[in-house]
Amino acid sequence: MIEHLELFFKSIFIDNMVFAVFLGMCSYLAVSKKVATAVGLGAAVIFVLAITVPLNWLLDTFLLQPGALSWLGSEYADYDLSFLSFIMFIATIATMVQLVEIVVEKFSPSLYNSLGIFLPLIAVNCAILGGSLFMQSREIETLGLAFNYGISSGIGWFLAILAIAAIREKIRYSNVPAPLRGLGITFIITGLMGIGFLSFGGMLTGGDEAEDENTKQSKTATLIETDTEKETVVNNTKLLEKK
Amino acid sequence: MGLLSKKDVKLITDPLADNNPITIQVLGICSALAITAELKASLVMGVAVLFVLGVGNVIISLLRNAIPSEIRIIVQLIVVAALVIIVDQVLKAFAFELSKTLSVFIGLIITNCIIMGRFEAFALANKPWQSFLDGIGNALGYAVILLIVGFFRELLGSGTLLGIPVLGDPIEKTGVYALGYEDNGFMLMPPMALIIVGLIIWVQRSRNKTLIED
């Protein structure tokens, strides 16, 4: 249970798709002019990630990893098909997106009306393929965790696009220097938001930290945090003594 | 330049500045920024995209009359994925360390919007030679931004270029470090890539007023 919670918060805040690894930036920049459309696209991303990441996890575990074919018999145990993962993942994603589009159109026209136009766009959204590739490279262990990873990184992306869309709606009334208007200021705001999100790095202490460059940051952040905690403890005891 | 007509030259030079894929067309930012903390990684990424986009554009252009338009996205994805697998395997064989640094971002070239964008907008409607030039031009435009960002992030963040110290030794306090200069470790953090691209856009649009959005 605890690992589920940890993965959940880690994927939303610390390894946020947009701010930490820049995934799905194209649609993030292109579709964030209005909050309503941003919500639609964000929801579609959560939906598709929740389906494709577990599916690709199954593919990876039972087909692609070195030794994954051993369920066919011991003579297949030596095969390593991992070089095929790009093509398998992207084919799965493209077909799933198509399938989801057809199913949703058939069974829930209202959902289709709100999500439908975004679904074809999503097949080539880097966040979706990125979710599957990170699932593979971070060696997520169980199907449940893969599902969790898909949903939570989708939520992280949703949060990011919602926030930037809201800011862009407001910034229209601000006096931005002319050459920065539109794209430029969006980049810079995203950067500033990313700096804000870096502060979540100290949120999860203990456990094994991710091996990327966030590690250093989060470690120093935790050190600082524990220091301040100690200080507050010391201060509190001093106060108590005075009383 | 018997091989290149004036129009052909324009195909290459346009994306370098006034129609740059990253700063003007807003394509391909996805896989671009995370790997620009070092100049070397940016260089390799630029070359990888150059290969995939140049060859991919030719293949799609050759197939353009054979692809039914309903399934063209899947055909395009398969072509890119095959090319990216080649790049990935070559990197793993000859530059294993670097392929670890680039991790999933080589794979993400598949969904790099520049590639799909150029296939859709150019290769599906033009002859192979023009498509090849268009691919090369756009990949170069992409690489230029990557190199600028990588240059500043590595220089200011770790005081090196391509791994070679250029500002002196931070531990023994030689070069500019003797004057009290410190590396700005913050440049290595992901958000700084976004801010630098923002600044590049600012500079570019100040120089060319026609590009300003309202």
Side-chain angles (χ1 to χ4, degrees):
Chain A
M1 191 61 215
I2 189 78
E3 56 184 347
H4 273 277
L5 268 182
E6 194 178 326
L7 184 72
F8 186 74
F9 285 111
K10 197 170 154 180
S11 326
I12 294 182
F13 294 111
I14 302 174
D15 291 334
N16 186 290
M17 281 259 174
V18 172
F19 300 124
V21 282
F22 308 108
L23 293 183
M25 284 298 284
C26 307
S27 22
Y28 168 86
L29 291 168
V31 195
S32 61
K33 286 193 178 112
K34 275 196 191 138
V35 170
T37 43
V39 168
L41 184 67
V45 165
I46 299 181
F47 196 60
V48 174
L49 268 175
I51 294 172
T52 55
V53 172
L55 210 63
N56 280 336
W57 184 88
L58 288 175
L59 269 181
D60 189 42
T61 319
F62 295 110
L63 206 60
L64 299 172
Q65 271 176 6
L69 285 174
S70 51
W71 56 272
L72 274 178
S74 55
E75 68 269 31
Y76 293 98
D78 292 338
Y79 284 89
D80 174 6
L81 296 179
S82 53
F83 70 94
L84 281 176
S85 45
F86 293 158
I87 216 161
M88 292 291 281
F89 285 178
I90 197 70
T92 315
I93 289 168
T95 33
M96 275 321 291
V97 168
Q98 205 89 98
L99 203 66
V100 165
E101 197 184 346
I102 296 168
V103 171
V104 169
E105 190 180 11
K106 181 108 173 77
F107 290 105
S108 169
S110 64
L111 185 65
Y112 180 76
N113 283 336
S114 53
L115 287 187
I117 45 165
F118 299 113
L119 282 172
L121 236 166
I122 275 179
V124 287
N125 186 328
C126 350
I128 309 294
L129 181 64
S132 291
L133 289 176
F134 271 119
M135 175 273 297
Q136 189 190 32
S137 77
R138 287 181 186 159
E139 291 165 3
I140 285 180
E141 275 157 22
T142 64
L143 186 61
L145 280 175
F147 181 65
N148 181 345
Y149 181 71
I151 288 208
S152 48
S153 43
I155 294 176
W157 200 87
F158 178 86
L159 266 185
I161 194 168
L162 190 63
I164 196 74
I167 293 177
R168 283 182 84 169
E169 277 195 358
K170 294 286 173 214
I171 210 153
R172 216 171 293 148
Y173 307 107
S174 314
N175 190 10
V176 180
L180 264 182
R181 253 173 237 160
L183 192 58
I185 196 70
T186 314
F187 266 106
I188 292 182
I189 292 172
T190 310
L192 294 176
M193 284 161 74
I195 293 172
F197 266 68
L198 278 182
S199 58
F200 286 115
M203 197 169 74
L204 293 178
T205 55
D208 47 339
E209 293 285 348
E211 53 293 315
D212 50 273
E213 56 185 19
N214 290 334
T215 322
K216 263 192 238 159
Q217 168 70 13
S218 55
K219 271 189 187 151
T220 45
T222 15
L223 279 181
I224 295 166
E225 244 171 46
T226 42
D227 278 352
T228 44
E229 266 173 27
K230 268 182 207 161
E231 271 176 29
T232 46
V233 171
V234 171
N235 287 341
N236 285 345
T237 41
K238 273 180 190 166
L239 278 177
L240 282 175
E241 277 169 12
K242 271 182 193 170
K243 277 178 190 168
Chain B
M1 298 288 254
L3 215 52
L4 300 171
S5 68
K6 231 178 199 165
K7 223 170 138 196
D8 290 349
V9 175
K10 214 167 147 44
L11 281 178
I12 295 189
T13 52
D14 244 17
L16 285 180
D18 288 347
N19 198 15
N20 189 286
I22 292 188
T23 60
I24 310 297
Q25 305 174 37
V26 210
L27 295 175
I29 301 136
C30 328
S31 58
L33 299 172
I35 46 91
T36 49
E38 296 167 35
L39 194 54
K40 199 171 169 193
S42 323
L43 201 65
V44 171
M45 193 69 180
V47 174
V49 170
L50 189 73
F51 169 77
V52 174
L53 193 51
V55 178
N57 249 359
V58 172
I59 295 177
I60 292 293
S61 173
L62 287 172
L63 292 175
R64 68 184 187 280
N65 295 324
I67 305 175
S69 71
E70 297 86 25
I71 59 158
R72 66 182 192 284
I73 303 249
I74 293 190
V75 175
Q76 289 162 3
L77 283 174
I78 298 297
V79 170
V80 192
L83 290 168
V84 170
I85 289 178
I86 296 174
V87 171
D88 186 52
Q89 294 295 316
V90 168
L91 270 183
K92 274 190 182 138
F94 296 105
F96 189 70
E97 285 300 309
L98 206 59
S99 79
K100 281 280 164 215
T101 326
L102 292 171
S103 69
V104 303
F105 292 98
I106 288 290
L108 287 173
I109 295 178
I110 299 172
T111 46
N112 192 322
C113 334
I114 290 186
I115 297 187
M116 298 298 283
R118 288 336 287 175
F119 284 3
E120 282 281 302
F122 202 90
L124 276 177
N126 286 282
K127 293 206 180 89
W129 175 239
Q130 274 83 12
S131 305
F132 177 69
L133 294 176
D134 179 77
I136 297 288
N138 276 285
L140 285 176
Y142 170 85
V144 163
I145 302 291
L146 241 65
L147 288 179
I148 297 177
V149 178
F151 175 82
F152 283 111
R153 283 182 76 188
E154 190 175 349
L155 183 70
L156 300 176
S158 37
T160 57
L161 284 178
L162 293 171
I164 305 160
V166 288
L167 295 179
D169 194 323
I171 298 157
E172 295 183 1
K173 301 279 174 211
T174 56
V176 288
Y177 294 102
L179 305 171
Y181 174 82
E182 293 272 348
D183 282 331
N184 182 0
F186 206 64
M187 293 301 276
L188 299 177
M189 294 284 158
M192 284 315 287
L194 288 165
I195 293 182
I196 294 178
V197 173
L199 295 178
I200 293 175
I201 293 174
W202 192 0
V203 171
Q204 189 184 22
R205 293 189 184 183
S206 312
R207 290 165 56 108
N208 188 344
K209 301 277 187 215
T210 51
L211 299 174
I212 292 174
E213 297 170 47
D214 43 25

